[in-house]
Amino acid sequence: MSEVFDYRGTEDFSTGGFRFPNPKDSSLLLPLGHHVDVYFPPPKRSRVSAPFVVSGEQKQKSSIEVLPDECLFEVFRRLPGGQVRSACACVSKRWLMLLSCIRRDELYTDKITQSGEPEKRSNPKKEDTFSESEQKGGYIDSNEIKAEAEEEDQETEANGYISRSLEGKKATDVRLAAIAVGTGSRGGLGKLSIRGTISIRGVTNLGLKAIARGCPSLRALSLWNISSIDDEGLFEIANGCRLLEKLDLCRCSTITDKSLVAIAKSCPNLTSVTIESCLNIGNESLQALGCFCPNLKSIAVKNCRLVGDQGIANMFSSAGRVLTKVKLQALNISDVSLAVIGYYGHEVTDLALTGLQNVNERGFWAMGNGQGLQKLKSFVVTACRGVSDVGLESMGKGCPNLKQTCLRKCPLLSDKGLASFAKTAGSLVSLQLEECHRITQFGFFGILGNSRKLKALVVENCLGIRDTDFEFPCMSLCNSLRYLTIRNCPGFGNASLAIVGRLCPKLLHLNLVGLQGITDEGLLPLVQNSEDGFTKVNLSGCVNLTDSVVSAIVKMHGSTLELLNLDGCRHITDASLVEIADDCLLLSELDVSGCGITDSGIAALAGAVHLILQILSLSGCSSVSDKSLASLGILGQTLVGLNIQHCHGISLGAVDLLVERLWSCDILA
């Protein structure tokens, strides 16, 4: 310390020597308390009457904080670049909200450019040039301002635009403001999704206003279950985001036709619109979308009580030449709307109708006879009572390019209409029937006998299909069928399965799920008549099958079989696993959950050198014990998924050991 006070020379602490003649005078030092440890000479005259405390820092507003918002706004819009604006947004919530109010065209860049200091724009593909806080999008200050979602909430899409998704507590006005400020210099925000905010700190019109002013490049906007945003917020989006291409509104009860009409008028690039459970959106919105959006390709309207025939008719009469995908669900529309679709839907390729209770047989008949759905390829109908034999046959005739059809919960559809549809729809490739209880065994085989190009047939929960002793007439083979799924049809038994085996020799994928009535006797002819070899076989829930049918499948199709599901086939034993180990060369997925498998069967699988299993499920195999630990370790060299849930013979210690050894395998235990 003495050396410091006695310092003399040309480089004194202060030019001109010491200010005090005796710097060692103890009167110049403050008392050495527990909070004071600095040298501070007393001033000549005290100008502040308040006591001076060194450890406590007096809070005073900086000179810039005294400025009103108008002045700060002018300062902020003259900042030289995006990184500087992002840094300023970290200072306080007030600064952040002011910065978010600046539109892109309000930035004072002209004079900056003239002075030779142009604003530096960053390449969004080179994110490594930004600081860590910017890469994560996080601006955090004492006011707990978290500007953007965490790293997992952002992703840069192929076109260079940033995508953000906010849910629950993360969705606030402050965060939206920070997104608007932080993404401006990084290529721009391209996609924004907001879901289910809380009522206290949720997103309001103010947050959307920030996005509208700071993100003119926004292409896609999704608002789900948000009641705190009304027309004012969407008006801002309409004015500021004129490049919008996709709009998704779900359960936004305070949004009305006024704002949606404004978006339709201001955003001509709209290609996809989804409106679901928006109680105040009706016909006027659909009419505006049809009139002012020449690029509208996809429209989905679900559960909007104010939408009626007038809205559908006006939209299709204006946009029928451009619409390709249409989905209508739970609307108060009648046969008139379907007739309009059938007449004006010239470019429609995908049409889905769900829960249209006021549509009758005449509507489907008129839609098919309208001759406008020439390009329709996919047709899905769910819970529409108007689907009958006449209407479906009309659709088959009027849609020559129809390839995929799904019919769910159609109580009036019978065997006659289904057979006629299969015959008239000459391009039909895929057909799915679900809960159509008037369809019987005759309708099922009528499809196979009349479809020339059918490749996939799915029949689920059709209780009317039952085995009969009726002798079927000779039918041509259905050589085109490659994929057959019959799920939870309890009446489908051995007799029907044997006929399938004779008619469909080219099957590759066979899914028989929950068919408790079939046995080895019915399945063996189907297995033996297959010419090209099965690649995927799912027999889950077929409780009466035994090792014999598994042996036949493996011996005849082992060289092509890739997936085998025997879940719940309780009569399957280790013998089947021995056959699989010997003859299956390409098998990658095996499910023997609930089967009579023991440690010996697992050992047989582990001993097959050529077998490269990736997924193995042993759930509910109570006879598998810790003795299989070594075998599972061998199989685990190629496994990516292992299910040993409810295997009570495997101890917790063995499970922990497996998890440790098979670190690259997802284990369910």
Side-chain angles (χ1 to χ4, degrees), residues 122-130 156-160 186-187:
S122 302
N123 187 350
K125 297 181 180 180
K126 298 181 180 180
E127 295 186 359
D128 55 342
T129 61
F130 294 98
T156 302
E157 297 186 327
N159 58 4
R186 305 179 60 190

Side-chain angles (χ1 to χ4, degrees), residues 64 67-79 85 94-95 97-108 213:
I64 195 171
L67 295 176
D69 289 349
E70 293 80 5
C71 294
L72 283 177
F73 182 88
E74 293 298 326
V75 172
F76 290 155
R77 76 187 191 98
R78 286 168 168 79
L79 293 176
R85 288 191 292 273
R94 179 193 178 197
W95 285 29
M97 301 311 291
L98 282 174
L99 282 163
S100 67
C101 292
I102 304 176
R103 291 191 180 94
R104 188 73 64 86
D105 56 2
E106 292 176 336
L107 294 176
Y108 198 79
R213 296 197 171 195

Side-chain angles (χ1 to χ4, degrees), residues 380-525:
V380 179
V381 182
T382 303
C384 294
R385 293 182 172 273
V387 179
S388 63
D389 295 344
V390 175
L392 189 62
E393 183 179 0
S394 175
M395 288 296 297
K397 292 179 179 179
C399 307
N401 293 303
L402 187 60
K403 297 182 181 298
Q404 300 177 353
T405 300
C406 178
L407 304 173
R408 301 189 185 100
K409 299 180 180 180
C410 300
L412 300 181
L413 185 62
S414 68
D415 295 337
K416 181 180 178 182
L418 193 60
S420 299
F421 174 72
K423 189 174 183 179
T424 55
S427 301
L428 191 64
V429 173
S430 174
L431 176 62
Q432 180 176 349
L433 303 174
E434 184 175 347
E435 295 188 38
C436 298
H437 300 308
R438 291 190 64 185
I439 303 299
T440 68
Q441 191 182 35
F442 300 100
F444 177 83
F445 290 110
I447 298 171
L448 298 180
N450 291 289
S451 297
R452 298 184 298 273
K453 298 181 180 180
L454 190 66
K455 292 184 178 181
L457 176 61
V458 179
V459 181
E460 300 184 22
N461 300 305
C462 293
L463 305 182
I465 299 179
R466 295 183 178 88
D467 281 355
T468 62
D469 296 332
F470 179 78
E471 290 291 336
F472 282 88
C474 294
M475 293 184 293
S476 59
L477 298 180
C478 187
N479 289 318
S480 61
L481 195 66
R482 297 291 186 271
Y483 312 95
L484 176 63
T485 297
I486 304 173
R487 180 179 285 110
N488 298 329
C489 298
F492 199 97
N494 289 337
S496 299
L497 204 58
I499 299 175
V500 171
R502 294 201 303 267
L503 295 179
C504 308
K506 301 291 185 178
L507 283 176
L508 299 178
H509 292 188
L510 178 64
N511 297 300
L512 306 177
V513 181
L515 304 185
Q516 300 182 4
I518 65 173
T519 63
D520 296 350
E521 180 183 358
L523 187 56
L524 281 174

Side-chain angles (χ1 to χ4, degrees), residues 17 46 125 146 192 196 231 251 321 327 353 363 433 443 558 561 651:
S46 177
K125 297 181 180 180
K146 294 186 177 180
L192 176 63
D231 291 336
R251 298 180 183 178
R321 294 286 181 180
K327 184 172 185 178
L353 307 175
L433 303 174
L561 195 62
S651 64

